[in-house]
Amino acid sequence: MIDLHTHSTVSDGSEPPAAVVAAAAGAGCRALALTDHDSLGGLEEAAAAAEAAGVALVRGCEVSCRAELPGVGPRSMHVLVYFVDGDGGPLHDELGRLRADRLARNRRLVDRLAELGVPVEWDQLVADAGGEAGIGRPHVARALVAAGAAEDLSDAFDRYLAEGRPAYVPKARLAPERLAALARSAGAVAVVAHPLALGLEPGPLESVCRELAEAGFGGLEAVYGGYRPEERAGLRRLAERVGLVPTGGSDFHGTFKPGLAVGTGYGDLDVPDRLLDDLADRRAG
Ligand code: AMP
Ligand code: ZN
Ligand code: FE
Ligand code: FE
């Protein structure tokens, strides 16, 4: 078993990197990818814990992109990047810009909520996220619930935070093709995360994935914790048709996604080990 999609306190997960690694080891994972949003900041801690636990750590991150889809228009697309080695270069620089923009977005978002009459304390968000850099909308959602402004996390998104809702503030997003090129030049591999989130019918989804494969993507997340068996099977067949590796992972976020465990997901996840080797074969050079 492996898990190629997890979040820690470095972004919007509730558990520190070492605890995510410990959970992977406990679940029997041979390999784990830590994929915090826009950040590689948890990898050092995770690598030390992984070495001690005998788990192979895949250095990754997850980036929110904006895809221009022919006949559909702009869509949000999450992209996982794997095998990010080294500590500098154009990919790292771009991630730094995205983090700076996220921080500015978060400040505007808090201002916007105050205008709407639902104040959320900045210092409280910082404390909850373990630092300014780690704040994401889930932390804001948790603060809204604590303040009685929403029933639960998903209600907070529906009322305020989701795209099109009154406190939605966009942040900078790369084109997926550009991210794939940056990844390739860093010896890393880009993978389409939870592809059904694109909300496309099967035909358009297949054309988009085909184009992404041509743009240098290496995989498509088929064996995803939140997907049903038939959805996973359909995505595996799609990946095969377009020449992408069908990867998989839980999208573990700790208490921000209750019931979802590292490795086993909602209890029915078991990502095959060999998918990681297939993905590693897609590295450039
Ligand atoms: P951010 O990167 O700060 O914009 O936050 C994005 C994160 O918020 C995603 O990775 C999800 O974990 C979470 N999220 C986005 N939309 C929703 C939603 N409608 N309900 C619950 N969580 C959401
Ligand atoms: Zn997240
Ligand atoms: Fe995502
Ligand atoms: Fe994720």
Side-chain angles (χ1 to χ4, degrees):
M1 180 191 291
I2 58 175
D3 190 335
L4 299 181
H5 191 162
T6 63
H7 298 267
S8 77
T9 45
V10 164
S11 63
D12 55 3
S14 64
E15 307 305 311
V20 179
V21 172
C29 289
R30 183 182 70 78
L32 166 79
L34 184 67
T35 53
D36 277 307
H37 297 282
D38 310 332
S39 182
L40 307 168
L43 294 173
E44 210 171 313
E45 178 184 324
E51 173 144 24
V55 173
L57 180 75
V58 179
R59 297 169 49 93
C61 61
E62 183 176 19
V63 178
S64 306
C65 291
R66 180 190 170 90
E68 285 295 338
L69 306 180
V72 179
R75 285 282 165 111
S76 164
M77 176 188 290
H78 287 188
V79 176
L80 294 156
V81 184
Y82 295 112
F83 314 115
V84 189
D85 296 333
D87 47 17
L91 174 61
H92 291 72
D93 293 347
E94 193 59 61
L95 292 174
R97 279 192 284 275
L98 293 173
R99 286 194 299 275
D101 185 78
R102 166 184 291 277
L103 185 55
R105 186 280 310 252
N106 289 340
R107 290 188 187 282
R108 284 200 299 274
L109 170 48
V110 167
D111 290 347
R112 182 80 195 112
L113 284 169
E115 286 164 21
L116 291 166
V118 277
V120 159
E121 286 291 328
W122 180 257
D123 292 349
Q124 188 55 49
L125 290 178
V126 174
D128 191 27
E132 278 188 343
I135 301 173
R137 279 183 291 164
H139 298 101
V140 182
R142 188 141 82 178
L144 288 168
V145 174
E151 307 259 325
D152 54 28
L153 297 181
S154 132
D155 185 47
F157 274 90
D158 291 346
R159 280 178 198 258
Y160 298 107
L161 302 174
E163 193 162 355
R165 305 308 298 154
Y168 179 74
V169 181
K171 61 179 158 43
R173 286 187 285 172
L174 293 178
E177 296 82 3
R178 169 157 166 74
L179 180 59
L182 286 168
R184 282 186 76 75
S185 65
V189 177
V191 169
V192 190
H194 40 70
L196 301 182
L198 289 167
L200 297 174
E201 295 295 323
L205 180 61
E206 179 150 347
S207 335
V208 167
C209 290
R210 214 174 275 287
E211 279 166 27
L212 292 172
E214 278 163 25
F217 271 66
L220 170 162
E221 193 176 46
V223 195
Y224 181 68
Y227 291 165
R228 296 192 304 270
E230 59 273 25
E231 292 173 325
R232 295 175 188 168
L235 287 168
R236 289 181 81 136
R237 289 192 296 269
L238 167 60
E240 193 169 323
R241 287 198 299 277
V242 302
L244 291 171
V245 177
T247 67
S250 62
D251 207 0
F252 174 78
H253 279 75
T255 57
F256 286 106
K257 285 196 178 183
L260 187 67
V262 178
T264 53
Y266 290 110
D268 67 342
L269 192 68
D270 186 357
V271 180
D273 292 12
R274 68 175 160 71
L275 297 178
L276 180 57
D277 304 314
D278 294 347
L279 192 64
D281 288 343
R282 298 301 179 100
R283 298 177 73 168

